[in-house]
Amino acid sequence: MHLAISLDIAAATREAVLDFSRISKFVLQAEAAGVDMVAISDSADGPSSSPFEATTLLAALATVTNRIGLVASASTIAHQPYNLARRFASLDIISHGRAGWNATMAQSAGEAANFSRPEGFSDADFRRRSEEYIGIVQGLWQGWDADALLFDKSGGRFHDPEKMHLLDHKGEFFSVRGPLNVARSPQDTPVLVLSGLSEPDLDNAARTADVIFMDSGSVESTKIRFDDLKRRVAARGRDPDAVKMLATVPLAADETPTTVADRLETQFRAKSCDGFDIRLPARHPALDDFAERVLPELRRRGLVRETYRGATLRAHLGLAGGGDQ
Amino acid sequence: MTARMKLGAFLWATGHHIAAWRHPKAHVTAGVDIDHYIQLARTAEAAKFDMIFCEDAAGLREANVGIASQTSRSIGFEPISLLSALAVQTSRIGLVSTASTSYNEPYGLARTFLSLDHLSGGRAGWNLVTSASPIEAANFGSTGLKPHADRYERAREFAEVVTGLWHGNAPGHDGQSFSVHDPLDLPRSPQGAPVMVQAGASDVGRDLAARTADVVFTAAQTFEEAKAFYDDLKGRMAAYGREPDDIKIMPGVSPVVAQTEAEAREKHEELQELIPDDVGVALLSSYLSISDLWRHPIDGPLPELPESEGMKSRQALVVEQSRRDGLSIRQLARHFAGARGHWRIVGTAAQVADELQARFEGGAADGFNVMPSYFPGELDAFATLVVPELQRRGLFRRDYEGRTLRDHLGLKRPA
């Protein structure tokens, strides 16, 4: 069972929100508990669930943690694809291969108005644009081969020019030549997390995503969507296990650890997901409950690994490579 | 108390010298090693530098892949993520990053820098640049460069929106290039607003700086050039209702320092010898915004150059230097490759301090952006040899007096 914790920092006490040391203690506690990753949501319109812009917070967290995966949301409206690909490639090197990008497929109504596009995009345009955008970002992440850097001082060869590749993308919304001016990721490419999916997004998600956050309903309805998605992944020629579907579950305050563990176990054993995206306010009592009571119970039942086995986020998630491209 | 000079530590790749990465003591994996940068930041902070400074380009530096592969500048950290990481690994030093107004949006940039400012407790600054490189343009769907004036008009509007957002205004901005609906969702900066840095030295660039900048980073080879720039820029400020002291002018300086002058010269020569001719000429070509410099005899003079839409001020500087000193293309290439058109001083700590003191006290600089030729060796040398000499002379602080970058720079906190 894979576990992500989505931090809802703004739900914590107001005075805590701009306190990096409190956020970092929280993430260190999640790391000590051995969860695969924390996800920091972000929105540039109206009240955000992160007081810090998520990529800046992720960079800071990367230097104070060692093992836990770090995923930040970043909007396809707020960034040019080259800039976004570059930011996350850099975060991935700072974190030694623990970074991921959470791209939402749902257009935020207010955001475009802050980014010089008051008219926004039609749903169809936004979808085609997002698909093109993700293709560019994943392409840019593969612009440098893993062995491109030679560091050969005496021979005067810093890198092998044959191992640096132009993207030369020319599409409907963007044209991007590349390559990035950041080296290849220590985990091949940063992890691509997709969220906010609706039905027409599923094929593209099946083709490109490493992780999908999906709202959870009943066990039956979640399983139907899970099976559908895995079929689509296989239809794209990918190993169904190359995409991890995590069901988003908010934790209710009145649930006992045993009830929570029972609920997660039932969903997981029904093969309706690969794990869970646990929504938590960034308050210690909430994490204490989960880390010190729910997780040990899940471990006792053999559902969650005891500790980190690898060093990168891809290793935690049991993912190879960077998608099928 | 006499005025103290301001010092920036300009961190770039393996060093500012084009052949830095080949130096036996250069940290060649700098571009993929965050611990190296954390160490550099701590060195600069222990030496009480005002700030760390990072440049930026959204693309490769060199279009010719053969040339690019002989330099270390094709890969490195993206500076916002780098400085955000350094923000929580340091406690006092300022953190300034370059970001272009050409390929960003003001709302996103204002929010990102304000976030860095909060992460660092009020130590962030933004170096505003406009992008002139066709290599960058090709990563953003642009087929041709915008004319110089258009780039600056966009930059002026961009800076106005960013400043408004930092000051907590609900913008409702609907301008020529940008529209922004909401205020930022962050509280005001711990230092009032992040520090605004600018580097453009053309006429329109100077006006923009006089109007909006807190710090100006510039390139000047001689005292006269530095003084003329300093007086001109400070003279433009009154028109915008600002005091001369509201801007700190910090020319770049690339010192090569050692215990003896002979040792310093030897160190410098060692680096110069490592520059391949084709790399030097290519670098010079890019500063001159011309692509066919390699067609001209390398031991002959610089050819006549057409007006370009690229970096006007830098071009003028190179041409003037070549004519003044009667330099061949090879000589000029080596000279510029080393310090990138910035001022270079080779000598002992006392000699370097003498030169800095002369410009500082002569009214040609408020401080300097120090561009070590290779890392970590030359930053260490400046920190351990030159800084103590400047402190002995009462020209530089022995400890930080305040907490924020504005405190260090002696800048007013914006209302």
Side-chain angles (χ1 to χ4, degrees):
Chain A
M1 180 189 294
H2 293 288
L3 289 174
I5 290 183
S6 281
L7 285 187
D8 191 349
I9 296 168
T13 53
R14 195 63 200 165
E15 65 271 22
V17 297
L18 275 171
D19 183 344
F20 174 74
S21 66
R22 288 181 68 166
I23 297 172
S24 67
K25 278 190 195 117
F26 187 92
V27 174
L28 283 166
Q29 192 185 352
E31 182 173 66
V35 304
D36 292 320
M37 61 194 194
V38 291
I40 302 152
S41 61
D42 192 53
S43 161
D45 63 328
S48 159
S49 67
S50 168
F52 297 108
E53 186 278 332
T55 62
T56 60
L57 179 58
L58 194 157
L61 289 170
T63 70
V64 298
T65 54
N66 290 306
R67 302 298 286 275
I68 195 166
L70 299 165
V71 173
S73 299
S75 145
T76 54
I77 299 289
H79 303 264
Q80 286 282 326
Y82 188 90
N83 292 340
L84 183 139
R86 188 171 168 235
R87 175 80 49 84
F88 278 89
S90 183
L91 290 170
D92 213 15
I93 294 177
I94 291 171
S95 65
H96 302 289
R98 295 183 289 128
W101 170 39
N102 180 357
T104 179
M105 296 296 99
Q107 184 177 194
S108 142
E111 191 168 47
N114 290 328
F115 289 87
S116 308
R117 292 194 176 269
E119 70 289 356
F121 293 94
S122 73
D123 285 349
D125 282 358
F126 184 77
R127 178 164 297 112
R128 288 202 316 285
R129 184 179 178 276
S130 300
E131 289 178 9
E132 185 181 338
Y133 193 115
I134 286 168
I136 293 167
V137 169
Q138 288 189 320
L140 287 170
W141 283 342
Q142 297 173 75
W144 292 83
D145 292 349
D147 57 352
L149 302 181
L150 302 171
F151 303 125
D152 175 8
K153 286 185 180 186
S154 56
R157 298 188 314 152
F158 186 82
H159 71 259
D160 182 347
E162 300 294 313
K163 294 181 175 176
M164 182 194 87
H165 312 286
L166 296 184
L167 183 67
D168 267 333
H169 171 89
K170 287 189 178 62
E172 181 185 0
F173 295 92
F174 304 101
S175 77
V176 181
R177 186 195 285 159
L180 283 189
N181 50 3
V182 181
R184 187 62 172 259
S185 156
Q187 59 172 341
D188 190 35
T189 63
V191 168
L192 176 67
V193 181
L194 294 183
S195 57
L197 300 179
S198 45
E199 167 75 24
D201 299 313
L202 293 178
D203 279 330
N204 187 54
R207 194 164 56 79
T208 60
D210 297 307
V211 175
I212 291 172
F213 286 166
M214 202 164 259
D215 290 340
S216 59
S218 66
V219 173
E220 295 71 27
S221 68
T222 311
K223 180 161 175 57
I224 288 167
R225 277 183 299 157
F226 179 78
D227 291 343
D228 173 50
L229 190 87
K230 294 281 174 164
R231 264 193 305 274
R232 290 176 196 252
V233 173
R236 295 283 169 172
R238 296 178 76 189
D239 178 350
D241 216 31
V243 181
K244 305 297 180 188
M245 194 181 120
L246 306 188
T248 295
V249 287
L251 285 194
D254 55 357
E255 279 179 294
T256 68
T258 313
T259 337
V260 175
D262 286 348
R263 183 153 64 96
L264 300 184
E265 179 173 11
T266 307
Q267 280 222 350
F268 187 69
R269 291 216 188 274
K271 294 194 167 52
S272 73
C273 62
D274 293 305
F276 299 93
D277 162 36
I278 311 282
R279 286 281 149 97
L280 282 182
R283 263 196 309 253
H284 286 283
L287 183 59
D288 288 345
D289 279 349
F290 186 75
E292 289 165 24
R293 301 169 71 190
V294 178
L295 259 178
E297 183 61 29
L298 293 172
R299 288 207 168 102
R300 210 176 48 72
R301 301 180 190 185
L303 294 167
V304 174
R305 57 168 166 64
E306 286 298 322
T307 184
Y308 296 111
R309 287 192 290 260
T312 67
L313 177 53
R314 283 187 185 278
H316 304 340
L317 292 167
L319 295 171
D324 65 347
Q325 293 174 356
Chain B
M1 190 182 82
T2 53
R4 302 273 172 83
M5 64 174 68
K6 312 301 172 193
L7 291 178
F10 188 163
L11 307 185
W12 195 32
T14 49
H16 288 267
H17 195 284
I18 188 74
W21 72 276
R22 300 186 65 192
H23 190 277
K25 289 183 186 158
H27 189 67
V28 71
T29 59
V32 292
D33 184 358
I34 187 64
D35 293 333
H36 167 75
Y37 276 94
I38 291 172
Q39 189 52 51
L40 295 182
R42 289 180 176 162
T43 299
E45 186 168 71
K48 317 301 177 193
F49 274 83
D50 291 79
M51 61 189 177
I52 286 163
F53 182 90
C54 291
E55 60 82 62
D56 187 41
L60 299 182
R61 290 283 165 179
E62 171 56 55
N64 179 322
V65 293
I67 299 290
S69 70
Q70 298 177 66
T71 78
S72 68
R73 293 173 181 173
S74 296
I75 59 105
F77 291 97
E78 180 276 332
I80 300 284
S81 47
L82 176 62
L83 290 183
S84 301
L86 297 181
V88 297
Q89 296 292 328
T90 54
S91 57
R92 304 298 283 273
I93 195 163
L95 305 162
V96 177
S97 175
T98 302
S100 169
T101 57
S102 302
Y103 307 119
N104 285 292
E105 283 281 321
Y107 191 88
L109 184 138
R111 185 164 176 261
T112 302
F113 275 88
L114 187 52
S115 182
L116 174 63
D117 206 29
H118 280 291
L119 268 176
S120 62
R123 296 184 285 132
W126 169 39
N127 177 38
L128 178 159
V129 297
T130 66
S131 298
S133 150
I135 305 176
E136 288 181 87
N139 290 327
F140 298 90
S142 313
T143 48
L145 280 180
K146 295 204 168 98
H148 195 259
D150 285 2
R151 280 194 283 125
Y152 269 91
E153 182 46 36
R154 179 180 160 103
R156 191 202 54 73
E157 186 185 340
F158 196 117
E160 184 185 304
V161 176
V162 168
T163 309
L165 288 165
W166 282 346
H167 289 203
N169 303 337
H173 177 87
D174 186 11
Q176 187 70 35
S177 301
F178 308 107
S179 64
V180 175
H181 188 264
D182 299 312
L184 294 177
D185 55 353
L186 282 163
R188 275 294 288 271
S189 155
Q191 57 177 338
V195 169
M196 281 277 261
V197 183
Q198 279 175 48
S202 65
D203 193 55
V204 57
R206 290 181 196 203
D207 270 329
L208 182 63
R211 178 171 169 157
T212 59
D214 299 309
V215 172
V216 171
F217 177 36
T218 167
Q221 295 277 337
T222 65
F223 177 87
E224 290 69 29
E225 278 168 37
K227 175 79 178 152
F229 177 84
Y230 188 95
D231 290 343
D232 176 82
L233 186 64
K234 299 257 174 167
R236 292 175 192 239
M237 295 174 68
Y240 303 104
R242 306 181 71 199
E243 302 287 330
D245 212 34
D246 292 345
I247 291 183
K248 308 299 174 189
I249 298 178
M250 300 174 65
V253 59
S254 198
V256 180
V257 60
Q259 298 284 0
T260 67
E261 187 180 337
E263 211 182 309
R265 297 212 168 278
E266 197 179 313
K267 207 157 65 154
H268 180 237
E269 209 35 54
E270 192 183 355
L271 276 166
Q272 295 291 84
E273 290 295 321
L274 293 172
I275 307 173
D277 280 335
D278 52 350
V279 170
V281 171
L283 191 73
L284 184 60
S285 303
S286 76
Y287 282 125
L288 297 176
S289 303
I290 54 169
S291 52
D292 65 345
L293 196 56
W294 59 273
R295 291 180 199 276
H296 299 270
I298 193 165
D299 290 313
L302 201 61
E304 289 302 319
L305 302 173
E307 259 295 278
S308 86
E309 284 295 340
M311 289 184 168
K312 290 189 171 183
S313 46
R314 185 98 67 173
Q315 186 182 81
L317 203 70
V318 175
V319 173
E320 195 192 310
Q321 165 121 23
S322 118
R323 304 282 183 255
R324 187 180 64 223
D325 298 343
L327 299 178
S328 69
I329 290 175
R330 188 201 308 268
Q331 288 168 320
L332 196 63
R334 284 212 164 171
H335 186 86
F336 273 86
R340 302 200 300 137
H342 286 273
W343 179 33
R344 181 165 29 204
I345 316 172
V346 181
T348 64
Q351 287 171 320
V352 172
D354 285 348
E355 299 251 13
L356 298 182
Q357 183 169 7
R359 290 205 188 181
F360 178 65
E361 291 181 344
D366 296 311
F368 304 94
N369 207 0
V370 178
M371 306 165 65
S373 55
Y374 69 89
F375 292 109
E378 282 299 317
L379 179 64
D380 291 342
F382 193 89
T384 56
L385 300 173
V386 180
V387 166
E389 180 63 26
L390 294 171
Q391 287 168 333
R392 260 193 298 282
R393 299 180 187 193
L395 291 166
F396 189 60
R397 71 170 67 84
R398 287 179 184 276
D399 203 355
Y400 293 109
E401 302 88 10
R403 307 295 313 187
T404 69
L405 178 53
R406 281 185 190 277
D407 290 342
H408 305 338
L409 293 169
L411 292 168
K412 287 180 200 139
R413 190 188 169 90

